[in-house]
Amino acid sequence: MTIHQPLSSANEVKATFLSALSGTDPNDSPYRHWLLDGLFPAEAVTALQELPFPAPSLDGVSGTREVHNATRVYFDVKNRAEHPVCDAIAVAFQDPEVVSAIEKGCGCDLDNTYLRIEYAQDVEGFWLQPHTDIGVKRFTLLIYLSGEAGQEDLGTDIYADAETWVGRSPFAPNKAMIFVPSSHSWHGFERRPIKGVRKSLIINYVTTDWRAREQLSFPEATVHSA
């Protein structure tokens, strides 16, 4: 008989994230970024891994996520209503205490930004050209979810500039990478074999200039710090 673990509440997600963030020191090379572990409660990670969204087909095209905008999945109003784990994650990251901790810990200003959470499922043939996330994104958190055999080398690639690769973040369930977008925050994904589906969450706080409001977790409410 299968025993289902109880779903994590937003408060539990909040507590584990705040603990992970406070226990991590930044890496300053080639730009300031943070590598975290134990971001969410274990039952939340399992629930995220088991979300019933199909992995999209690349149809032989990759290089940016924007080329597949029609099949991208977000923790938007609809998915928050239908999937409790989506709602718990969104409510936690909308919380003023979490916003304040991110601002203090990472040195960024998130006041009056919107929460945007993407559920990414990358398959064989996927790659991302080096980019910085500058513009309307004020904060980027990449949370890795899957951990199938052979996926150990699927972390985010880190660059000193658009052409100079310097390293790769560790990839395993519940590990993560944080950075504050700047002209130096080059990152991407070098093309390499992907066994199974590479699952991750991409959490951004975006400015009010973000036009695709349907992607947002709370399209009528910006975040504010405590």
Side-chain angles (χ1 to χ4, degrees):
M1 181 177 66
T2 299
I3 300 176
H4 295 282
Q5 296 296 323
L7 292 175
S8 300
S9 69
N11 283 336
E12 291 170 327
V13 171
K14 171 183 168 180
T16 55
F17 171 74
L18 291 177
S19 177
L21 181 63
S22 66
T24 303
D25 294 323
N27 300 277
D28 288 321
S29 179
Y31 52 85
R32 179 158 285 202
H33 63 281
W34 292 257
L35 300 175
L36 291 76
D37 195 7
L39 221 68
F40 295 152
E43 59 270 19
V45 176
T46 298
L48 289 166
Q49 292 170 337
E50 295 177 350
L51 282 169
F53 305 125
S57 172
L58 296 179
D59 295 324
V61 179
S62 195
T64 69
R65 292 197 181 279
E66 287 73 17
V67 296
H68 296 288
N69 275 347
T71 57
R72 297 169 77 178
V73 174
Y74 303 93
F75 288 8
D76 54 18
V77 173
K78 178 177 181 292
N79 284 328
R80 283 180 48 230
E82 294 181 356
H83 305 286
V85 70
C86 298
D87 188 59
I89 300 296
V91 170
F93 280 87
Q94 187 80 1
D95 187 285
E97 187 178 348
V98 168
V99 174
S100 181
I102 291 172
E103 289 182 325
K104 293 176 181 177
C106 302
C108 55
D109 179 11
L110 303 181
D111 191 55
N112 203 36
T113 60
Y114 289 103
L115 175 63
R116 175 179 179 267
I117 304 175
E118 180 173 1
Y119 186 74
Q121 299 188 93
D122 306 319
V123 296
E124 179 65 25
F126 169 80
W127 63 280
L128 285 178
Q129 63 187 8
H131 58 290
T132 61
D133 277 8
I134 57 173
V136 294
K137 294 180 181 178
R138 292 273 186 87
F139 172 83
T140 298
L141 167 57
L142 308 171
I143 306 163
Y144 310 121
L145 299 175
S146 55
E148 299 178 32
Q151 291 190 337
E152 297 82 5
D153 195 38
L154 298 185
T156 302
D157 288 299
I158 301 169
Y159 305 82
D161 54 49
E163 299 178 350
T164 308
W165 184 93
V166 298
R168 184 169 291 161
S169 64
F171 187 88
N174 220 10
K175 289 186 179 290
M177 176 180 173
I178 284 175
F179 62 89
V180 178
S182 72
S183 60
H184 305 292
S185 56
W186 292 98
H187 62 287
F189 188 84
E190 294 285 321
R191 185 161 185 168
R192 54 194 183 272
I194 297 177
K195 295 183 178 180
V197 181
R198 176 185 185 261
K199 297 184 179 183
S200 64
L201 285 188
I202 305 169
I203 298 183
N204 297 115
Y205 291 98
V206 299
T207 72
T208 54
D209 291 329
W210 193 267
R211 295 182 178 180
R213 297 295 175 89
E214 71 280 359
Q215 299 173 357
L216 305 175
S217 296
F218 301 90
E220 305 303 323
T222 57
V223 303
H224 301 280
S225 58

